Amino acid sequence: MNYKLSKKILEQIENVKRILVNCHRSPDPDSVGSALALTRVLTQMGKEVKVICPTGLPQDTKFLVGSDTIERVGFDKFDFGKFDLFIILDSGSSQMVTGLRDPMKFPIPTVVIDHHKTNLLYGDINLVDAKTSSTAEVLYLVFEDWGVKPDKEISQALLTGILADTGVFEYPGVTGKTLGIAQKLIEVGADKDEIILNVFKTISFSKLKFWGEIIRRMELDEKYGFVFSALPYDVYSEFEKPVSAKETGSSLFATVVEGTKFGMIMVEEDKGVLSISLRARGNAFDVSKIAEKFGGGGHRSAAGAKVYDTEFEKAKEAVLQGAREVVNEVGKG
Ligand SMILES: [Mn+2]
């Protein structure tokens, strides 16, 4: 057994008929790949499954078979009455599930399966394995506990989550275990080249130009050891609001500057709402500590948060101040 909870989760599933599965707000390939893999497994068990998401899907997830069946819904008026169980994947908080500003108590039984170390354990059952690369990898281990052998399509969805959440095995924390699972998925027919082409090598020209703007505005805080770039709403609008450009740009450019421990990309994605992506350079600094200061969360090497109801310059200064405080605290500790 990989997880003690696997059996309990399987019992919950066996007792019900209609299961709801989520993709989190602005879903990444781990969220979508995990949801589609679980859906296929549950369908093979004879369950009725629906996948819902509070936002549209970004381009880099649409190549996955079944992604067109994911329904965009508003959680504030969604009818849970048609479902017996809600299985929540890759989401550290209920806000990440719903895209709403306030926490939500779901009216049906919930199972949370995740790998965010800041997970708030808001489900009735919570299987959170923060040592694992991706929710897709956690699911692989759960399926193994259930005696489920992934077919080609499930393998492709799971390998997508693993490759995306590890930057193709690049990020700190990737172990031989992750590589071993990837090997098994490839042996069943997962196509790494298709995943890499679609997730990492299919960037819209406008997103590339937005990355250019991120780099152009980037500043180096030599004293505290980080880089940051902050873009106000009018600039974000001018570049046609590229979806997930902040997160991917952050992974690419906030992690590479000599002399830094981490980097932050801040984009005012709605008027008065500053969205922050944090990435560590190497493994020496835990960026989730900064995210948590602003009500967000994530992983040691990748995290995010939002600052609400604050004018752009003030929000940006608050984030910089908060980051410097965390650097000081860590330095002292
Ligand atoms: Mn993930």
Side-chain angles (χ1 to χ4, degrees):
M1 279 295 243
N2 299 305
Y3 301 114
K4 272 190 235 142
L5 283 171
S6 297
K7 195 168 164 248
K8 205 169 156 193
I9 294 170
L10 184 59
E11 283 165 9
Q12 286 275 315
I13 291 167
E14 280 168 344
N15 286 330
V16 300
K17 179 81 188 140
R18 303 159 307 169
I19 301 175
L20 196 60
V21 174
N22 84 308
C23 289
H24 62 64
R25 68 176 177 219
S26 309
D28 54 19
D30 187 31
S31 171
V32 176
S34 295
L36 294 174
L38 178 63
T39 296
R40 196 163 162 88
V41 168
L42 295 173
T43 306
Q44 287 170 356
M45 291 175 177
K47 307 298 170 185
E48 281 170 31
V49 188
K50 186 187 189 71
V51 187
I52 55 172
C53 183
T55 58
L57 297 192
Q59 202 52 42
D60 62 2
T61 62
K62 288 184 183 166
F63 74 101
L64 285 168
V65 175
S67 60
D68 54 341
T69 63
I70 296 170
E71 198 174 314
R72 184 175 181 166
V73 302
F75 274 81
D76 40 356
K77 38 188 179 296
F78 183 73
D79 180 11
F80 287 86
K82 297 191 189 101
F83 301 93
D84 312 311
L85 179 66
F86 189 17
I87 304 184
I88 298 170
L89 302 171
D90 200 42
S91 306
S93 65
S94 72
Q95 290 96 321
M96 203 163 159
V97 179
T98 62
L100 301 173
R101 190 172 160 176
D102 293 316
M104 177 170 174
K105 177 87 186 95
F106 301 108
I108 58 173
T110 52
V111 172
V112 171
I113 300 175
D114 188 26
H115 72 126
H116 291 87
K117 78 183 186 89
T118 54
N119 191 293
L120 298 172
L121 309 178
Y122 53 97
D124 299 312
I125 299 176
N126 300 285
L127 198 175
V128 179
D129 179 0
K131 287 197 195 72
T132 292
S133 74
S134 50
T135 296
E137 187 177 342
V138 179
L139 273 184
Y140 178 91
L141 297 168
V142 170
F143 294 163
E144 197 170 71
D145 287 344
W146 292 351
V148 169
K149 293 235 180 311
D151 63 15
K152 187 178 171 186
E153 217 169 86
I154 294 166
S155 297
Q156 183 71 345
L158 292 178
L159 189 63
T160 297
I162 292 173
L163 291 180
D165 263 27
T166 62
V168 195
F169 310 119
E170 178 195 303
Y171 304 156
V174 173
T175 60
K177 191 176 172 191
T178 310
L179 294 163
I181 290 171
Q183 179 190 353
K184 286 182 189 137
L185 295 171
I186 288 168
E187 281 167 3
V188 184
D191 179 353
K192 86 164 183 17
D193 297 336
E194 189 200 19
I195 298 166
I196 290 171
L197 179 67
N198 281 284
V199 174
F200 295 98
K201 312 279 183 198
T202 306
I203 307 302
S204 71
F205 193 64
S206 63
K207 187 159 156 181
L208 189 76
K209 288 293 187 185
F210 187 69
W211 283 349
E213 190 65 18
I214 287 174
I215 293 175
R216 201 180 68 77
R217 287 169 182 256
M218 194 169 264
E219 292 179 54
L220 171 63
D221 185 328
E222 277 182 84
K223 185 168 173 229
Y224 288 87
F226 67 89
V227 282
F228 66 94
S229 186
L231 293 86
Y233 184 73
D234 57 344
V235 174
Y236 184 56
S237 302
E238 198 184 302
F239 283 85
E240 295 161 5
K241 304 185 181 181
V243 179
S244 73
K246 166 176 54 68
E247 292 84 349
T248 47
S250 193
S251 297
L252 285 167
F253 314 121
T255 57
V256 295
V257 181
E258 184 181 13
T260 63
K261 293 187 274 291
F262 67 96
M264 309 190 284
I265 311 288
M266 304 175 240
V267 178
E268 192 183 20
E269 291 181 344
D270 280 307
K271 244 342 200 179
V273 181
L274 188 66
S275 189
I276 317 152
S277 266
L278 299 122
R279 297 290 182 275
R281 173 170 170 266
N283 208 10
F285 188 82
D286 180 357
V287 291
S288 72
K289 292 207 162 87
I290 299 172
E292 282 185 302
K293 229 183 168 77
F294 295 96
H299 313 282
R300 191 178 163 85
S301 57
K306 284 183 200 285
V307 178
Y308 291 97
D309 295 334
T310 313
E311 185 270 321
F312 173 73
E313 281 297 329
K314 278 201 182 118
K316 171 185 148 188
E317 283 309 318
V319 172
L320 292 174
Q321 180 65 30
R324 286 167 189 145
E325 280 167 25
V326 172
V327 173
N328 277 336
E329 285 158 21
V330 171
K332 273 189 224 121

